[in-house]
């Protein structure tokens, strides 16, 4: 395993999510459940993250409403929210999810490009293809197009957006008050007539400050990993433990190399943290959120995941042993995660419900700033991660804990920047500005 | 003609446009041509307009690049720009154009709804169907769909957006920490399966603060006027003089009444103003901008409009008489405007080029604050206008002149508010919040 270069540092994003990534976070008496539509709340999260010198804020996004009764997190539309948040901050990056299945490339190029101008080059675009029929049925499809078709469209979508951002040369604008505003030879049509899109161009917006806003992806399937390897400049990942993270990391880095690319392409697994000045305090924070879970509904949901009736199980006894994966006939991914948690952590039933309610299959670190920094360092040096996409179980307290306690410990170890050294998201991620 | 109610006041919007509505404004030595991508520039315009207690800021929008050499105004994408501008202001409304031909209703409902949440209920949506093949060819169409088809789509689009905004009842959210986040019976699918759109809903955003963000339209064709009469809550108009304004005003108000609506539906013609402390000073400001026009290119363009070679004409002599409209075989609208200007203003050729370069067929008022207020009052009491969509020939100076000189004169006459009385755009326009 190649050692890290001296001075090489972690990259940290804040994954912005309602009142936090624990499904019951909004139920906590101190939660900001009243502020999910209040832009000042999101701005305050952004300022906390910037105080911690984080690389970027990240909004996931979906196109439909789930259950509004329990684990529901609605949020403002990411692009409009991030525009406001850009004015409440100066350096931190701003990453929005946009679905290639539901937007047109021209809208995506323009919205993201405009936000890059507004923020002075701090924008990233997380390319997703979306998953659910309920989303498709809000945008004219009777059902979600098949996986392969979505990815074929996504690739053409990305190519078209890149071409639109490049449709103005950096030096197109002359602003000669006695002559021309711009050189028409440097503002070119792209004449894209592909299988999924017809886009003549040029974009009605000069080249974004970053050239291309940063492309982010979270490829899990083989097709997704290939798309990420060819285009992504930073990658979000799901890894339950270091071993899983290392396998994903190796696979992606080799695909990136095979695609002939030399860019760093940082890989950032999701990370749920409970931080306390002692392990007991950290555990108590976790328990406090877990105790907010409505037990009956959670048991019902677990019952669906494992296809057993667990309503009679003892909440404070260890989870009974479960049939092996090979014998399970329902959806495999979630069941595998549950088996993994039960085997490695030997949780009580109550603890299992809590773990599933907060970032499920994502890595969870519980402890002191020192023990969490140890663990993050192990992932970093063990090449399971180039950084993390922070998923605080509750917001704002979870990101305050991280920024005020873990970040200084990482800085003390030389693992994280003490000040921003760049003004753009590309700069934070160590990416070159493309020549165009 | 029905007299105005005592206390009835004008509504004023600022039509935000690059360096101003005069095509040569960017060429002026003092112009902000360097700041077209600088959000702080737009924020400063917003603050000036809010200092003047204007009802709203308005962004027009298009989906393609015109000539980048001469009269080119690019601007930031309106929704992202307005989100930032909302945080630089407290009361002024924020109206974005969105094309029903190129967006999906779900995106439009969500983006506009999100901005309404962010701004605390200050948003309006100017519904357009777009016009140019160059725009269509950036969004997958080989050419612009026919007019009738665009309007049929627009109507279904508006209905769908309204249904999505209504998909959450005002009292859907319970936020009961021991119970439910929201009442699932009050978050309903819309199940819209129409000719142009399939949208199940509900929207993934609670009802906007205004219930419905304000619908704005600018119907010119008969189909456009009908759409406006059925749905618009404020209307932008093009009227060269009071007579034309009155004809349009009467027609729209009777169509609104025929549609069974009692809402006020303010009609706001575009208005270009040159303000000076004397008429000479106002004329000098106009001349200063007109002198920035590149003469050859302007003559070439005029030649295309009137289908004559005018390159040999004397710039400082009156425009030669032109053939009547009936004998003209090119596009009628612009030619009619040119005839009208030549007949009523007897301009020199240089003056005509200037008039065409600044708001062409829109009303232009040149003079002192008093004379302009007189004229606006005449339009208001003569029921040609319920207010105006201000199109300053140069920005920011043109809106500063208006806010600092004309607004106080209107206020002195009781024709314009001295303070905001409402917190929402609906409130500024005197519109009720729909019950949903």
């Amino acid at each position: 395993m190649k050692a890290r270069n001296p001075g090489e540092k972690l990259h940290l994003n804040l994954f912005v999510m309602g009142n936090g990534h624990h499904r019951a976070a909004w139920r906590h008496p101190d939660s900001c459940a009243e502020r999910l539509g209040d832009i000042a709340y999101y701005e305050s999260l952004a300022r906390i993250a910037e105080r911690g010198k984080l690389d970027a804020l990240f909004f996931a996004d979906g196109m439909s409403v789930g259950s509004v009764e329990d684990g529901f997190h609605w949020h403002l539309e990411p692009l409009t929210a991030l525009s406001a948040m850009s004015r409440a901050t100066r350096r931190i990056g701003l990453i929005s999810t946009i679905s290639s299945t539901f937007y047109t490339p021209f809208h995506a190029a323009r919205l993201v490009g405009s936000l890059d101008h507004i923020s002075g080059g701090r924008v990233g675009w997380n390319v997703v293809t979306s998953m659910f029929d309920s989303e498709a049925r809000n945008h004219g499809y009777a059902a979600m197009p098949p996986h392969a078709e979505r990815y074929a469209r996504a690739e053409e979508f990305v190519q078209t957006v890149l071409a639109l951002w490049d449709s103005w040369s950096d030096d197109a604008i002359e602003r000669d008050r006695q002559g021309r505003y711009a050189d028409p030879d440097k503002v070119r049509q792209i004449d894209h007539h592909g299988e999924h899109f017809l886009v003549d161009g040029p974009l009605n917006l000069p080249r974004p400050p970053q050239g291309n806003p940063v492309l982010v992806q979270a490829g899990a399937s083989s097709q997704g990993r290939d798309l990420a390897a060819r285009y992504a400049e930073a990658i979000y990942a799901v890894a339950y433990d270091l071993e899983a993270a290392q396998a994903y990391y190796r696979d992606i880095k080799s695909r990136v190399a095979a695609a002939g690319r030399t860019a760093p392409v940082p890989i950032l697994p999701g990370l749920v943290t409970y931080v306390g000045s002692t392990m007991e305090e950290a555990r108590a924070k976790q328990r406090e959120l877990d105790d907010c879970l409505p037990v009956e509904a959670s048991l019902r949901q677990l019952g669906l995941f494992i296809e057993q009736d667990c309503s009679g199980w003892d909440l404070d006894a260890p989870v009974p042993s479960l049939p092996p994966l090979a014998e399970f006939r329902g959806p495999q991914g979630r069941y595998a995660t549950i088996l993994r948690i039960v085997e490695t952590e030997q949780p009580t039933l109550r603890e299992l419900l809590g773990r599933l309610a907060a970032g499920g299959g994502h890595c969870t670190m519980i402890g002191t700033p020192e023990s969490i920094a140890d663990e993050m360092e192990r992932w970093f040096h063990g090449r399971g991660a180039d950084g993390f996409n922070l998923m605080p179980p509750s917001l704002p307290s979870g990101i305050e804990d991280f920024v005020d306690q873990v970040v200084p410990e990482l800085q003390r170890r030389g693992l994280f920047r003490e000040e921003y050294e760049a003004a753009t998201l590309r700069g934070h991620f160590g990416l070159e500005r493309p020549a165009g």
Side-chain angles (χ1 to χ4, degrees), chain A residues 195-211:
Chain A
E195 197 179 328
H196 301 84
F197 306 109
L198 181 160
V199 185
D200 277 358
L203 191 61
N204 53 354
L205 196 70
R207 193 155 193 250
Q210 294 183 102

PDB file of all heavy atoms in Angstrom, chain A residues 195-211:
ATOM      1  N   GLU A 195     -27.977  10.491 -29.060  1.00  0.00           N
ATOM      2  CA  GLU A 195     -29.096   9.560 -28.966  1.00  0.00           C
ATOM      3  C   GLU A 195     -30.186  10.107 -28.057  1.00  0.00           C
ATOM      4  O   GLU A 195     -31.371   9.923 -28.308  1.00  0.00           O
ATOM      5  CB  GLU A 195     -28.576   8.220 -28.432  1.00  0.00           C
ATOM      6  CG  GLU A 195     -29.533   7.074 -28.678  1.00  0.00           C
ATOM      7  CD  GLU A 195     -28.962   5.771 -28.142  1.00  0.00           C
ATOM      8  OE1 GLU A 195     -27.711   5.614 -28.166  1.00  0.00           O
ATOM      9  OE2 GLU A 195     -29.750   4.930 -27.685  1.00  0.00           O
ATOM     10  N   HIS A 196     -29.773  10.803 -26.992  1.00  0.00           N
ATOM     11  CA  HIS A 196     -30.743  11.291 -26.014  1.00  0.00           C
ATOM     12  C   HIS A 196     -30.993  12.786 -26.105  1.00  0.00           C
ATOM     13  O   HIS A 196     -32.028  13.263 -25.653  1.00  0.00           O
ATOM     14  CB  HIS A 196     -30.285  10.961 -24.592  1.00  0.00           C
ATOM     15  CG  HIS A 196     -30.104   9.506 -24.343  1.00  0.00           C
ATOM     16  ND1 HIS A 196     -28.946   8.837 -24.673  1.00  0.00           N
ATOM     17  CD2 HIS A 196     -30.943   8.577 -23.831  1.00  0.00           C
ATOM     18  CE1 HIS A 196     -29.065   7.567 -24.357  1.00  0.00           C
ATOM     19  NE2 HIS A 196     -30.268   7.363 -23.852  1.00  0.00           N
ATOM     20  N   PHE A 197     -30.048  13.542 -26.634  1.00  0.00           N
ATOM     21  CA  PHE A 197     -30.168  14.994 -26.571  1.00  0.00           C
ATOM     22  C   PHE A 197     -29.814  15.670 -27.892  1.00  0.00           C
ATOM     23  O   PHE A 197     -28.929  15.215 -28.615  1.00  0.00           O
ATOM     24  CB  PHE A 197     -29.241  15.558 -25.479  1.00  0.00           C
ATOM     25  CG  PHE A 197     -29.469  14.920 -24.138  1.00  0.00           C
ATOM     26  CD1 PHE A 197     -28.517  14.056 -23.602  1.00  0.00           C
ATOM     27  CD2 PHE A 197     -30.641  15.145 -23.432  1.00  0.00           C
ATOM     28  CE1 PHE A 197     -28.737  13.444 -22.383  1.00  0.00           C
ATOM     29  CE2 PHE A 197     -30.869  14.541 -22.213  1.00  0.00           C
ATOM     30  CZ  PHE A 197     -29.911  13.681 -21.683  1.00  0.00           C
ATOM     31  N   LEU A 198     -30.554  16.745 -28.143  1.00  0.00           N
ATOM     32  CA  LEU A 198     -30.216  17.656 -29.226  1.00  0.00           C
ATOM     33  C   LEU A 198     -29.965  19.009 -28.578  1.00  0.00           C
ATOM     34  O   LEU A 198     -30.871  19.590 -27.983  1.00  0.00           O
ATOM     35  CB  LEU A 198     -31.383  17.732 -30.226  1.00  0.00           C
ATOM     36  CG  LEU A 198     -31.211  18.627 -31.463  1.00  0.00           C
ATOM     37  CD1 LEU A 198     -32.216  18.207 -32.539  1.00  0.00           C
ATOM     38  CD2 LEU A 198     -31.388  20.109 -31.165  1.00  0.00           C
ATOM     39  N   VAL A 199     -28.736  19.474 -28.657  1.00  0.00           N
ATOM     40  CA  VAL A 199     -28.372  20.760 -28.042  1.00  0.00           C
ATOM     41  C   VAL A 199     -27.390  21.481 -28.963  1.00  0.00           C
ATOM     42  O   VAL A 199     -26.239  21.070 -29.097  1.00  0.00           O
ATOM     43  CB  VAL A 199     -27.706  20.565 -26.649  1.00  0.00           C
ATOM     44  CG1 VAL A 199     -27.467  21.913 -25.993  1.00  0.00           C
ATOM     45  CG2 VAL A 199     -28.549  19.677 -25.745  1.00  0.00           C
ATOM     46  N   ASP A 200     -27.854  22.566 -29.556  1.00  0.00           N
ATOM     47  CA  ASP A 200     -26.968  23.319 -30.449  1.00  0.00           C
ATOM     48  C   ASP A 200     -25.932  24.139 -29.691  1.00  0.00           C
ATOM     49  O   ASP A 200     -24.805  24.279 -30.114  1.00  0.00           O
ATOM     50  CB  ASP A 200     -27.795  24.271 -31.319  1.00  0.00           C
ATOM     51  CG  ASP A 200     -28.385  23.581 -32.535  1.00  0.00           C
ATOM     52  OD1 ASP A 200     -28.124  22.372 -32.716  1.00  0.00           O
ATOM     53  OD2 ASP A 200     -29.100  24.249 -33.303  1.00  0.00           O
ATOM     54  N   GLY A 201     -26.347  24.722 -28.546  1.00  0.00           N
ATOM     55  CA  GLY A 201     -25.463  25.643 -27.860  1.00  0.00           C
ATOM     56  C   GLY A 201     -25.277  26.899 -28.675  1.00  0.00           C
ATOM     57  O   GLY A 201     -25.961  27.076 -29.699  1.00  0.00           O
ATOM     58  N   PRO A 202     -24.377  27.808 -28.291  1.00  0.00           N
ATOM     59  CA  PRO A 202     -23.580  27.748 -27.061  1.00  0.00           C
ATOM     60  C   PRO A 202     -24.436  27.992 -25.818  1.00  0.00           C
ATOM     61  O   PRO A 202     -25.613  28.330 -25.941  1.00  0.00           O
ATOM     62  CB  PRO A 202     -22.586  28.907 -27.250  1.00  0.00           C
ATOM     63  CG  PRO A 202     -23.311  29.873 -28.133  1.00  0.00           C
ATOM     64  CD  PRO A 202     -24.171  29.049 -29.037  1.00  0.00           C
ATOM     65  N   LEU A 203     -23.846  27.794 -24.646  1.00  0.00           N
ATOM     66  CA  LEU A 203     -24.523  28.147 -23.396  1.00  0.00           C
ATOM     67  C   LEU A 203     -24.683  29.669 -23.345  1.00  0.00           C
ATOM     68  O   LEU A 203     -23.849  30.393 -23.878  1.00  0.00           O
ATOM     69  CB  LEU A 203     -23.676  27.662 -22.222  1.00  0.00           C
ATOM     70  CG  LEU A 203     -24.337  27.707 -20.822  1.00  0.00           C
ATOM     71  CD1 LEU A 203     -25.584  26.832 -20.773  1.00  0.00           C
ATOM     72  CD2 LEU A 203     -23.356  27.245 -19.748  1.00  0.00           C
ATOM     73  N   ASN A 204     -25.760  30.144 -22.739  1.00  0.00           N
ATOM     74  CA  ASN A 204     -25.954  31.599 -22.626  1.00  0.00           C
ATOM     75  C   ASN A 204     -25.317  32.134 -21.338  1.00  0.00           C
ATOM     76  O   ASN A 204     -25.913  32.934 -20.622  1.00  0.00           O
ATOM     77  CB  ASN A 204     -27.448  31.964 -22.720  1.00  0.00           C
ATOM     78  CG  ASN A 204     -28.307  31.194 -21.743  1.00  0.00           C
ATOM     79  OD1 ASN A 204     -27.813  30.311 -21.059  1.00  0.00           O
ATOM     80  ND2 ASN A 204     -29.582  31.540 -21.691  1.00  0.00           N
ATOM     81  N   LEU A 205     -24.096  31.724 -21.129  1.00  0.00           N
ATOM     82  CA  LEU A 205     -23.360  32.075 -19.906  1.00  0.00           C
ATOM     83  C   LEU A 205     -21.880  31.859 -20.202  1.00  0.00           C
ATOM     84  O   LEU A 205     -21.515  30.787 -20.688  1.00  0.00           O
ATOM     85  CB  LEU A 205     -23.801  31.101 -18.800  1.00  0.00           C
ATOM     86  CG  LEU A 205     -23.522  31.395 -17.343  1.00  0.00           C
ATOM     87  CD1 LEU A 205     -24.387  32.553 -16.863  1.00  0.00           C
ATOM     88  CD2 LEU A 205     -23.820  30.169 -16.500  1.00  0.00           C
ATOM     89  N   PRO A 206     -21.050  32.856 -19.926  1.00  0.00           N
ATOM     90  CA  PRO A 206     -19.618  32.648 -20.164  1.00  0.00           C
ATOM     91  C   PRO A 206     -19.058  31.510 -19.307  1.00  0.00           C
ATOM     92  O   PRO A 206     -19.676  31.096 -18.331  1.00  0.00           O
ATOM     93  CB  PRO A 206     -18.998  33.989 -19.745  1.00  0.00           C
ATOM     94  CG  PRO A 206     -20.108  34.987 -19.858  1.00  0.00           C
ATOM     95  CD  PRO A 206     -21.347  34.235 -19.500  1.00  0.00           C
ATOM     96  N   ARG A 207     -17.882  31.045 -19.707  1.00  0.00           N
ATOM     97  CA  ARG A 207     -17.271  29.893 -19.034  1.00  0.00           C
ATOM     98  C   ARG A 207     -17.244  30.113 -17.516  1.00  0.00           C
ATOM     99  O   ARG A 207     -16.847  31.173 -17.042  1.00  0.00           O
ATOM    100  CB  ARG A 207     -15.842  29.718 -19.566  1.00  0.00           C
ATOM    101  CG  ARG A 207     -15.215  28.404 -19.196  1.00  0.00           C
ATOM    102  CD  ARG A 207     -14.119  27.991 -20.184  1.00  0.00           C
ATOM    103  NE  ARG A 207     -13.790  26.598 -19.945  1.00  0.00           N
ATOM    104  CZ  ARG A 207     -12.618  26.193 -19.414  1.00  0.00           C
ATOM    105  NH1 ARG A 207     -11.667  27.051 -19.145  1.00  0.00           N
ATOM    106  NH2 ARG A 207     -12.408  24.919 -19.189  1.00  0.00           N
ATOM    107  N   PRO A 208     -17.651  29.100 -16.747  1.00  0.00           N
ATOM    108  CA  PRO A 208     -17.651  29.252 -15.282  1.00  0.00           C
ATOM    109  C   PRO A 208     -16.240  29.503 -14.748  1.00  0.00           C
ATOM    110  O   PRO A 208     -15.252  29.085 -15.367  1.00  0.00           O
ATOM    111  CB  PRO A 208     -18.182  27.893 -14.794  1.00  0.00           C
ATOM    112  CG  PRO A 208     -18.949  27.324 -15.945  1.00  0.00           C
ATOM    113  CD  PRO A 208     -18.224  27.805 -17.169  1.00  0.00           C
ATOM    114  N   PRO A 209     -16.149  30.166 -13.591  1.00  0.00           N
ATOM    115  CA  PRO A 209     -14.834  30.479 -13.009  1.00  0.00           C
ATOM    116  C   PRO A 209     -13.927  29.261 -12.886  1.00  0.00           C
ATOM    117  O   PRO A 209     -12.722  29.366 -13.102  1.00  0.00           O
ATOM    118  CB  PRO A 209     -15.186  31.038 -11.633  1.00  0.00           C
ATOM    119  CG  PRO A 209     -16.562  31.591 -11.771  1.00  0.00           C
ATOM    120  CD  PRO A 209     -17.254  30.759 -12.814  1.00  0.00           C
ATOM    121  N   GLN A 210     -14.504  28.108 -12.542  1.00  0.00           N
ATOM    122  CA  GLN A 210     -13.672  26.907 -12.429  1.00  0.00           C
ATOM    123  C   GLN A 210     -13.430  26.220 -13.773  1.00  0.00           C
ATOM    124  O   GLN A 210     -12.843  25.128 -13.794  1.00  0.00           O
ATOM    125  CB  GLN A 210     -14.313  25.887 -11.480  1.00  0.00           C
ATOM    126  CG  GLN A 210     -14.380  26.347 -10.029  1.00  0.00           C
ATOM    127  CD  GLN A 210     -14.943  25.277  -9.115  1.00  0.00           C
ATOM    128  OE1 GLN A 210     -14.198  24.616  -8.410  1.00  0.00           O
ATOM    129  NE2 GLN A 210     -16.248  25.101  -9.135  1.00  0.00           N
ATOM    130  N   GLY A 211     -13.876  26.809 -14.854  1.00  0.00           N
ATOM    131  CA  GLY A 211     -13.809  26.093 -16.133  1.00  0.00           C
ATOM    132  C   GLY A 211     -14.955  25.110 -16.146  1.00  0.00           C
ATOM    133  O   GLY A 211     -16.010  25.365 -16.717  1.00  0.00           O
TER     134      GLY A 211
END
